[in-house]
């Protein structure tokens, strides 16, 4: 007998019982939030309107993930390559964390969410960093959903920086090359303490990893959709999780 999560039956805006079971919810979902600019262009709007509506989709995805019992949600908000965009657009993007937190932080705290950031803090404007550090501090004692923003993040840079740290430890005589293993490498990545993503979602039709969590996605299920990120809502997350469960269904309790 397949057990379903009560809240899905009872939710008044959920028209039909969902094809999701409570026993195999992905612990960590990572999302490449692609298609904000294309969504805006299709509507004849400036790109920044797409980014702004993308921010609203971040909120929807966070609430939907929390309601499903997902423990870690990692969102690719800004890549190490995004600095190449026009200065006006970068400046606008760098104000979104403050704006998001000003609107949403209280509700996220009520939900016991922990806000974290993964990426290089150098190059981020002070106002961006301050808003995020304040939110991280205020939510550090929470033990609910971990909402992890990848910001000024790149997978190769993450691995390169980790290898530099290991190199320094060898130079200092604290480590032998033979002692390097996967566990030690993981400890030197920006995700240390966070399990690998079970499920990667990418919107907007591209079917690439694009330098996101290269090490951590080694065994993740990948789910792609043509919809643009600003259109993303809980039904899309439910579709992704339902597909994840179809792929990983464990009959008879053996993995
Ligand atoms: C634009 C789509 C939320 C992707 C989502 C600076 C591109 C909307 C945040 C955010 C961005 C980051 C940290 C935080 C709270 C919120 C965000 C950026 C871009 C890059 F603590 N949305 N969002 N950050 N976009």
């Amino acid at each position: 007998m397949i057990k379903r999560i009560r809240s899905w039956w009872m939710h008044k805006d959920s028209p039909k019982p969902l094809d999701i079971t409570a026993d195999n919810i992905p612990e960590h979902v990572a999302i490449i939030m692609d298609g904000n600019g294309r969504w805006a262009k299709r509507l004849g709007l400036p790109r920044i309107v797409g980014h702004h509506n993308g921010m609203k989709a971040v909120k929807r995805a966070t609430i939907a993930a929390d309601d499903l019992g997902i423990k870690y949600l990692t969102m690719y908000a800004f890549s190490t390559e995004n600095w190449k965009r026009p200065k006006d657009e970068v400046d606008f993007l760098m104000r979104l964390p403050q704006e998001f937190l000003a609107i949403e932080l209280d509700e996220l705290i009520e939900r016991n969410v922990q806000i974290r950031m993964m990426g290089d803090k150098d190059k981020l404007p002070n106002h961006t960093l301050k808003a995020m550090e304040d939110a991280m501090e205020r939510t550090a004692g929470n033990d609910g959903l971990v909402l992890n923003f990848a910001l000024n993040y790149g997978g190769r840079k993450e691995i390169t920086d980790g290898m530099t740290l290991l190199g320094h430890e060898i130079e200092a005589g604290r480590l032998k090359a033979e002692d390097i293993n996967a566990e030690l490498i993981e400890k030197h990545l920006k995700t240390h303490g966070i399990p690998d993503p079970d499920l990667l979602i990418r919107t907007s039709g591209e079917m690439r990893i694009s330098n996101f969590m290269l090490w951590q996605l080694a065994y993740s299920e990948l789910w792609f959709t043509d919809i643009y990120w600003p259109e993303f809502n809980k039904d899309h997350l439910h579709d992704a999780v339902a597909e994840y469960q179809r792929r990983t269904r464990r009959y008879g309790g053996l993995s």
Side-chain angles (χ1 to χ4, degrees):
M1 164 67 174
I2 291 170
K3 197 171 99 222
R4 291 174 195 276
I5 290 178
R6 181 180 52 95
S7 59
W8 301 330
W9 292 104
M10 319 236 326
H11 242 284
K12 55 182 181 310
D13 53 358
S14 186
K16 58 175 194 285
L18 288 158
D19 192 16
I20 299 177
T21 61
D23 61 311
N24 184 24
I25 297 291
E27 185 180 17
H28 185 176
V29 174
I31 308 186
I32 301 177
M33 306 183 286
D34 201 9
N36 301 284
R38 264 174 283 173
W39 175 86
K41 187 173 181 192
R42 193 192 54 185
L43 296 172
L45 298 166
R47 289 175 59 80
I48 59 169
V49 178
H51 296 316
H52 200 265
N53 280 273
M55 187 184 75
K56 296 182 186 166
V58 170
K59 163 74 181 302
R60 292 195 294 273
T62 303
I63 301 304
D66 189 34
D67 285 346
L68 284 184
I70 289 163
K71 296 283 170 27
Y72 299 87
L73 181 63
T74 297
M75 317 283 259
Y76 206 177
F78 195 89
S79 78
T80 48
E81 281 73 48
N82 287 155
W83 297 107
K84 294 180 206 148
R85 294 185 179 177
K87 183 175 182 306
D88 284 357
E89 187 176 335
V90 171
D91 288 349
F92 180 87
L93 286 167
M94 287 301 155
R95 300 208 172 269
L96 289 179
Q98 283 113 298
E99 188 181 347
F100 178 91
L101 293 166
I103 302 167
E104 311 295 355
L105 186 57
D106 287 343
E107 186 184 337
L108 295 177
I109 288 173
E110 270 171 43
R111 278 184 174 259
N112 201 20
V113 169
Q114 313 171 59
I115 300 202
R116 299 205 197 151
M117 188 218 142
M118 156 175 102
D120 293 324
K121 292 185 172 150
D122 65 322
K123 285 219 253 178
L124 294 182
N126 258 321
H127 61 85
T128 311
L129 205 53
K130 235 185 131 271
M132 293 185 47
E133 281 177 340
D134 170 69
M136 289 192 277
E137 216 177 277
R138 286 179 62 194
T139 60
N142 293 351
D143 62 0
L145 172 75
V146 172
L147 178 57
N148 184 33
F149 288 99
L151 222 148
N152 194 18
Y153 171 89
R156 289 186 175 177
K157 177 77 162 51
E158 175 188 40
I159 292 172
T160 305
D161 289 350
M163 295 308 103
T164 304
L165 291 172
L166 286 178
H168 282 309
E169 286 177 38
I170 291 173
E171 276 182 6
R174 289 192 296 267
L175 178 70
K176 292 205 294 238
E178 307 85 76
D179 294 335
I180 295 177
N181 55 28
E183 195 191 341
L184 191 66
I185 291 174
E186 267 163 14
K187 283 196 178 121
H188 291 78
L189 299 179
K190 301 190 195 311
T191 46
H192 56 88
I194 298 181
D196 290 342
D198 303 292
L199 171 63
L200 172 78
I201 294 173
R202 181 170 187 159
T203 54
S204 198
E206 308 297 343
M207 298 194 190
R208 293 188 291 274
I209 302 300
S210 299
N211 202 22
F212 190 48
M213 301 183 86
L214 295 178
W215 173 278
Q216 297 87 343
L217 290 169
Y219 296 103
S220 310
E221 294 295 334
L222 310 179
W223 188 83
F224 302 100
T225 172
D226 285 338
I227 71 136
Y228 298 129
W229 177 251
E231 300 171 323
F232 194 87
N233 63 34
K234 74 173 192 307
D235 295 331
H236 302 110
L237 185 71
H238 291 170
D239 287 348
V241 170
E243 171 65 14
Y244 168 84
Q245 294 192 334
R246 282 192 289 276
R247 292 189 204 168
T248 60
R249 186 89 70 215
R250 282 165 297 193
Y251 296 97
L254 290 175
S255 54

